């Protein structure tokens, strides 16, 4: 049994949906397929949620209508014989959201966000499943919210592993007795009160990895629009090349430093069961892509990650005393409360330097909370460069014309914060 994950770009158009069907048609194995929302649907749904929460119900409905149109049009081009049934399925999801959009918000934003945003994945999978049926590719559509039980930490929900594993045994395994192909959603789940939840942006990779783990899959394949994992973002580095083999360790480090390869949470579930992870291009299914396993790979090219829009915060003691454990641990508590993950930290005698993504609401709250303990200074618009397997020559080349604000290195990784 294998697990496949197709991201938003792979279900973005009529042709791309047909392309998925072509990939699946030639398979003989049992496959569980995890799908994201079409293209930029999640972003569009976020706008719907925001308008709704501001009390702009009309605007929310108008924005949602645009999303509806896109999906209905896509379906129209793909499904004719089963059109009526397929349209009804979409309509049911539309109605669920529209009911809500007529209401007034009485709970917190994150709750509504999840109730609205989750529909993106339900729609894309419903369309794909109907199209496969039309093409006589037998498949079973499943609502992952019946399977993935989570807590109610909306927008960043944590999976209840035990319950979810039990549901996989109760629903997914019998499902495979009916069909070799199961189509389901990434990114979403539900609480024990049947409220929809989401697992954090780009969370579909993680869903797929959890399925692979619990199903003891023989492999997980993440299908993308690039050849495989690259050593840098080709939009930023012209000489970026793709890497045929990597270890889980390397990928987890890359993801940690911000490489947009795979969601950072994806690796642990597959690593724990030693499940090979392929990253392949859905436009060239025959090419081998990148294979990620436990095997350590020698002689990797330097791996470069650039993070723009960084903020450097300097927390200094207010009275020139050393920065001791107490204020430091309080600072970490504030990070946890605000769900802030610093990208780089360094302490000196009387101050702590901390680099993070520029999320203005969070920075503001952080600066305010920390000002009770420290004198806080801040600088914006910085760039954080991380290089794994660096050479001094490469560091010099990539930092020329820049002022280095902060630098940290280990034997295999260097991080440079630049102005
Ligand atoms: N559709 C969700 C997002 O855009 C989840 C995913 O694509 O993995 O974040
Ligand atoms: Mg996506």
């Amino acid at each position: 049994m294998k697990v496949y994950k197709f991201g938003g770009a792979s279900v973005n158009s009529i042709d791309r949906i047909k392309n998925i069907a072509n990939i699946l048609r030639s398979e003989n194995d049992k496959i569980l397929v995890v799908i994201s929302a079409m293209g930029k649907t999640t972003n569009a749904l976020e706008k719907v949620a925001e308008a709704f929460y501001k009390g702009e119900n009309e605007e929310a409905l108008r924005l949602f209508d645009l999303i509806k149109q896109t999906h209905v049009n896509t379906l129209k081009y793909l499904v004719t014989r089963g059109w009526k049934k397929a349209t009804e399925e979409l309509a049911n999801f539309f109605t669920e959201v529209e009911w809500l959009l007529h209401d007034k918000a009485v709970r917190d934003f994150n709750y509504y966000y999840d109730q609205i945003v989750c529909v993106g994945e339900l729609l894309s999978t419903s369309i794909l499943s109907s199209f496969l049926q039309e093409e006589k590719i037998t498949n079973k559509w499943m609502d992952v919210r019946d399977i993935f039980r989570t807590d109610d930490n909306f927008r960043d929900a944590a999976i209840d592993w035990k319950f979810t594993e039990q549901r996989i045994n109760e629903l997914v395994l019998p499902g495979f007795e009916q069909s070799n192909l199961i189509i389901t959603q990434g990114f979403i789940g539900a609480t024990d009160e049947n409220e929809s939840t989401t697992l954090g942006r780009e969370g579909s990779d993680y869903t797929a990895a959890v399925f692979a783990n619990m199903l003891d899959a023989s492999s997980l394949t993440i299908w993308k629009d690039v050849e495989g994992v690259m050593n840098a973002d080709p939009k930023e580095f012209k000489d970026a090349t793709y890497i045929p083999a990597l270890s889980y360790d390397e990928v987890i480090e890359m993801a940690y430093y911000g490489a947009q390869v795979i969601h950072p949470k994806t690796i642990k579930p597959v690593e724990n069961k030693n499940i090979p992870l392929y990253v392949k291009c859905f436009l060239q299914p025959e090419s081998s892509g990148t294979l990620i396993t436990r095997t350590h790979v020698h002689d990797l090219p330097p791996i470069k990650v650039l993070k723009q829009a960084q903020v450097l915060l300097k927390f200094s003691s207010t009275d020139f005393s050393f920065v001791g454990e107490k204020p430091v641990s309080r600072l970490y508590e504030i990070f946890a409360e605000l769900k802030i993950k610093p990208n780089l930290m360094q302490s000196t005698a009387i101050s702590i330097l901390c680099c993070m993504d520029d999320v203005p609401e969070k920075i503001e709250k952080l600066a305010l909370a920390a000002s009770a303990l420290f004198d806080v200074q801040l600088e914006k618009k910085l760039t954080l460069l991380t290089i794994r397997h660096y050479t001094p020559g490469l560091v010099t080349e990539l930092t020329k014309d820049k002022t280095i604000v902060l630098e940290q290195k280990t034997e295999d990784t260097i991080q440079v914060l630049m102005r």
Side-chain angles (χ1 to χ4, degrees):
M1 182 184 308
K2 298 193 289 196
V3 177
Y4 279 3
K5 182 262 173 173
F6 289 96
S10 59
V11 280
N12 207 4
S13 66
I14 316 278
D15 285 344
R16 295 227 164 147
I17 294 175
K18 288 183 175 168
N19 176 61
I20 296 189
N22 288 336
I23 293 175
L24 296 177
R25 199 192 312 271
S26 53
E27 296 282 356
N28 301 314
D29 262 333
K30 290 191 188 303
I31 306 179
L32 180 118
V33 184
V34 171
I35 312 265
S36 298
M38 282 171 62
K40 299 269 172 265
T41 305
T42 304
N43 293 355
L45 286 164
E46 285 185 337
K47 296 272 180 302
V48 174
E50 282 159 20
F52 166 76
Y53 200 70
K54 275 192 269 172
E56 297 166 4
N57 299 56
E58 290 298 315
E59 176 64 359
L61 284 159
R62 190 189 65 82
L63 292 173
F64 187 62
D65 208 52
L66 299 174
I67 299 170
K68 273 170 69 174
Q69 294 315 323
T70 320
H71 286 84
V72 169
N73 281 337
T74 307
L75 183 73
K76 217 168 12 195
Y77 283 102
L78 289 168
V79 176
T80 39
R81 253 186 322 110
W83 187 77
K84 192 165 175 289
K85 183 165 168 277
T87 312
E88 277 165 19
E89 277 166 17
L90 291 193
N92 286 337
F93 296 127
F94 295 153
T95 311
E96 241 178 82
V97 176
E98 280 165 341
W99 265 349
L100 189 151
L101 294 183
H102 281 101
D103 274 354
K104 216 178 123 219
V106 288
R107 295 180 60 170
D108 69 294
F109 174 70
N110 291 351
Y111 164 78
Y112 291 108
Y113 176 103
D114 281 4
Q115 309 318 303
I116 294 167
V117 164
C118 73
V119 81
E121 269 67 16
L122 295 165
L123 297 173
S124 65
T125 51
S126 176
I127 293 175
L128 177 71
S129 171
S130 301
F131 176 62
L132 294 174
Q133 223 69 53
E134 185 92 355
E135 293 285 293
K136 305 217 163 48
I137 303 172
T138 314
N139 71 93
K140 196 172 164 57
W141 181 91
M142 283 192 171
D143 189 333
V144 80
R145 295 173 301 175
D146 296 330
I147 305 166
F148 270 49
R149 165 70 60 83
T150 70
D151 63 11
D152 62 359
N153 186 18
F154 297 105
R155 286 184 78 178
D156 190 20
I159 295 170
D160 175 342
W161 278 69
K162 216 169 144 224
F163 187 89
T164 301
E165 193 149 30
Q166 189 189 322
R167 296 299 278 168
I168 285 183
N169 292 331
E170 286 165 3
L171 292 171
V172 180
L173 294 179
F176 273 126
E177 281 160 27
Q178 294 162 25
S179 165
N180 270 349
L181 203 54
I182 291 179
I183 309 291
T184 195
Q185 306 78 37
F187 175 57
I188 67 177
T191 67
D192 55 1
E193 290 179 27
N194 267 325
E195 299 158 320
S196 300
T197 52
T198 64
L199 309 177
R201 286 304 305 265
E202 305 300 328
S204 293
D205 290 357
Y206 179 52
T207 304
V210 173
F211 267 121
N213 175 299
M214 292 184 182
L215 287 165
D216 281 310
S218 58
S219 66
L220 165 62
T221 306
I222 295 189
W223 295 90
K224 296 178 82 87
D225 55 358
V226 290
E227 220 182 320
V229 178
M230 311 206 49
N231 74 326
D233 183 344
K235 282 182 235 116
E236 265 147 3
F237 296 95
K238 295 274 167 302
D239 60 350
T241 52
Y242 110 98
I243 312 170
L246 283 167
S247 65
Y248 299 122
D249 293 357
E250 186 65 41
V251 176
I252 217 159
E253 295 284 347
M254 288 170 74
Y256 172 79
Y257 290 115
Q260 300 287 325
V261 262
I262 301 171
H263 194 287
K265 287 201 290 194
T266 313
I267 301 302
K268 181 177 154 52
V270 285
E271 192 281 339
N272 287 176
K273 290 220 173 150
N274 201 9
I275 297 168
L277 167 58
Y278 292 90
V279 178
K280 291 179 61 152
C281 180
F282 56 74
L283 299 167
Q284 305 158 25
E286 289 78 30
S287 64
S288 46
T290 300
L291 171 58
I292 301 157
T293 60
R294 279 192 188 154
T295 311
H296 183 76
V297 181
H298 298 277
D299 302 323
L300 284 173
I303 292 169
K304 298 171 274 188
V305 184
L306 264 186
K307 275 188 145 225
Q308 307 289 355
Q310 296 295 298
V311 181
L312 180 67
L313 284 127
K314 186 175 179 185
F315 305 100
S316 310
S317 65
T318 44
D319 57 357
F320 210 72
S321 60
F322 287 119
V323 175
E325 307 79 52
K326 275 228 177 83
V328 174
S329 66
R330 175 65 197 128
L331 190 59
Y332 273 98
E333 273 168 31
I334 301 171
F335 288 155
E337 283 157 19
L338 297 172
K339 293 187 188 153
I340 286 175
K341 294 183 191 91
N343 295 325
L344 193 62
M345 296 267 289
Q346 196 156 303
S347 342
T348 72
I350 53 167
S351 65
I352 302 167
L353 295 164
C354 171
C355 161
M356 60 183 73
D357 297 345
D358 190 358
V359 184
E361 319 88 76
K362 288 195 181 184
I363 306 273
E364 233 168 75
K365 285 185 190 153
L366 169 64
L368 188 68
S371 65
L373 302 161
F374 303 98
D375 181 32
V376 187
Q377 279 173 299
L378 143 174
E379 179 175 354
K380 290 195 174 205
K381 293 195 182 141
L382 301 171
T383 303
L384 179 62
L385 167 70
T386 304
I387 315 173
R388 302 233 339 123
H389 320 295
Y390 61 93
T391 59
L394 184 62
V395 179
T396 311
E397 186 194 320
L398 295 178
T399 55
K400 71 169 191 286
D401 315 326
K402 303 272 191 232
T403 309
I404 297 179
V405 186
L406 185 62
E407 183 178 306
Q408 220 169 66
K409 62 183 173 189
T410 64
E411 222 172 298
D412 46 29
T413 308
I414 187 164
Q415 289 196 284
V416 192
L417 186 64
M418 309 180 291
R419 184 182 293 134

